[in-house]
Structure formats: structure tokens, C-alpha cells
Amino acid sequence: MGTGGGDARTGELSRAIAGLARRTGPVRLMEVCGTHTVAIFRHGIRSLLPEGITLLSGPGCPVCVTALKDVDTAVAASLAPGVVLATFGDMMRVPGSRSSLYEARAEGADVRVVYSPMEALRMAEENPRLTVVFFATGFETTSPLVAATLGEAEKRGVENFLVHPVHKLVPPALRALLEAGEAAVDGFILPGHVSAVIGSRPYGFIPGDYGVPAVVTGFEAADILEGILMLLADMLSEGPLRVGVQYTRAVREEGNPRAVAFIEECFEPEDAHWRGIGTIPRSGLGLREALRHRDARTVLSLSVPDAPEPRGCACGEVLRGLKVPSDCPLFGKACTPRRPVGPCMVSSEGSCAAYYRYGGLVARG
């Protein structure tokens, strides 16, 4: 599928959406996933929608929602004697309260970028005199990989491999948004990658408890447009609402049982702090008792104080769908991709970075 409205299928879907939108009236739809946010810009989806359909970005960028204190803890780990801090590249430039991991490395910390947790485990095997800490961020998409790596570490007896686990769970965050009712979301475009792991079933509370339609979509232009069409059709339907799955080529109702089993074997739900949102009950993943000897926070006695968010930064309101990035007074001025103030400007999937990269001042719709 190509981009923009030149494709016959996207044109057909756009016309169908316009027809339903005349009956629904103005609606506000939230794309939960950061990859969807980028895809919506890259495919020019907003230009294919009629006036009155507003697309909001949600809390689906893992870099953006990693708490300030968790970044500070990773920096503290990197500065501990004999420690190598391994992390995904997107986390390097996320500002902590005093420095980023990139700045910590410039000050002498041993911080290395890896492309998988297994790469960090191999690093630990090859450097038995060092302690390798993997900064384990992300959603249900990455937590099975970390769980599998922890299993390998146990199997191989690699004692110098630790993790700083700050994984987040998407469904509890959506429930928290709906409970708060701040953004007045009329429908959710649910994440494709996360849903390939957990399936569509865990989102059943969205239509069931809150009467809001939701659909899992893929990432091509036609996928997203078809998902929006499904949402509008659900709004007009007199039948019971269900979680729709447009992305049927990758997502099943039950998800990927093997990946879910990996998660459940190593992790258990715990309260987690989401940057800009606050603490959400049972929205994170902590190590189970049998694996707590691999928790860097405990083993290295890492304890950092809470710190305030940067003054003027609107990342929290952007993540909750209350503002678009261009509403932030720092956007494109004090906060740019070269000198980011908040995490939404750092990540390749962050809303602010996407707005900046693709033209910035996009209308709300």
C-alpha cells in the first residue's frame, strides 16, 4: 500500500469515512501507539479525513512514558563501579532530572547501546568481571524478549546479568484515561504490535464498561483508514459494541499464548509511574520472587529521589490527549529534537518529534 490519497483503496475508504462522518458529527479518536502516530503523519492520514474527525496521540510511546525517576535510576546504575549499562538507543537522550544516559557516558559511565536484551546477556558472558545491567523499557511487545533472556541467564548461570525493569502494560493505562474522562475520547485506534502479543480480548472493558468503540489496526494507510471507518460504523450501530480487529493478518483474539506465558513466568503486575500521567495501579511488570536477585535496583542498592518534571513541558498533557504538541509553549523553541526538554521530543515514536519532523503546526481536525 502506498502513501497519501493517490491509491484507489485509500480514496475509496476516505469517501466512505466522509459519508459516515456526516452522520456521527464531530468525533475525537485516539491512536494509542507511537508507531501509529508516525504512520498517520507519514501517510498524510489527516489530509484524507473530513473536517470534524480529530486524531489525538495517546500514551503508546514507551520512551515517552518512562518515568523521570526510572531514567535517573538508570543513570545512577551506569555510574556505579564495575557496571555496564545496556539500553536501546532511544533511551540514550531522554532527559533525566540531572542528566541523560548520553551525558552520563560523556562523563565516563560505561553505557552501551544494544539492539536486543540477548546482546546484553552475551556482553555479560564475555565480561565476567563486570556487572551488565539491561535497562528494560517498553510495553508487552518487548517484555517477552526480556523474559526469555532472563530465562537464558538462569539456564546458563550468568550471575553478572541484571535488569532495571520498567515495563508498562497498555490496557491499565487506557482504563485510567477513561476513568479520568479528561480527553473525552470517542474511539480508540489500538496498537497492532502490542495486540499481536496480548490479543484483542484484554481491551474488552473499553466498549463493555465505557461504551467506547475500539479497533486494532495495522500500520499502512489503508489499515488505519479502514480502522477509522470501523469505529464510525460502530458508533452508528445499534448492536452491542465489541473490540474490532482490522489487523487480522497479525492479531488474534487470544494473542500469542507462548509470548504471554513468557511474561507471566518472569513478571507480575505492579503499580507503575507513567511520565506525565502518574501512578497507575498494576500497570507495570515487576520481577517475580524467583528472579529478584536480578533486579538492579535491589542488588546495587539504587535509590534516587523524586524530581519535578521540566517547567513548562506539556508532555504529560500530550500523552493524555489534552493537548497537541504545538500547544506546548516550548515546542520548536526551547524544545527541539537536537535539544529536547521532554521525552515526547526524543523518541522516534514521540508525538512532539513527529509533529516537528512532519511540519509541526497540524490542525486538530
Side-chain angles (χ1 to χ4, degrees), residues 14 17 29 44-55 225 228:
S14 298
I17 289 171
L29 308 179
I45 295 294
R46 283 182 171 82
S47 68
L48 302 176
L49 298 177
E51 187 176 351
I53 294 183
T54 300
L55 297 181
L225 289 171
I228 292 171

Side-chain angles (χ1 to χ4, degrees), residues 195-218:
S195 304
V197 174
I198 66 172
S200 60
R201 196 175 295 153
Y203 306 111
F205 68 91
I206 298 175
D209 295 351
Y210 299 93
V212 175
V215 61
V216 182
T217 81

Side-chain angles (χ1 to χ4, degrees), residues 105-129:
R105 185 168 71 179
E107 294 172 5
D110 194 345
V111 182
R112 306 183 193 181
V113 172
V114 294
Y115 294 97
S116 75
M118 280 301 295
E119 189 178 341
L121 177 60
R122 285 195 294 273
M123 195 184 299
E125 287 181 301
E126 293 166 2
N127 298 276
R129 294 185 178 180

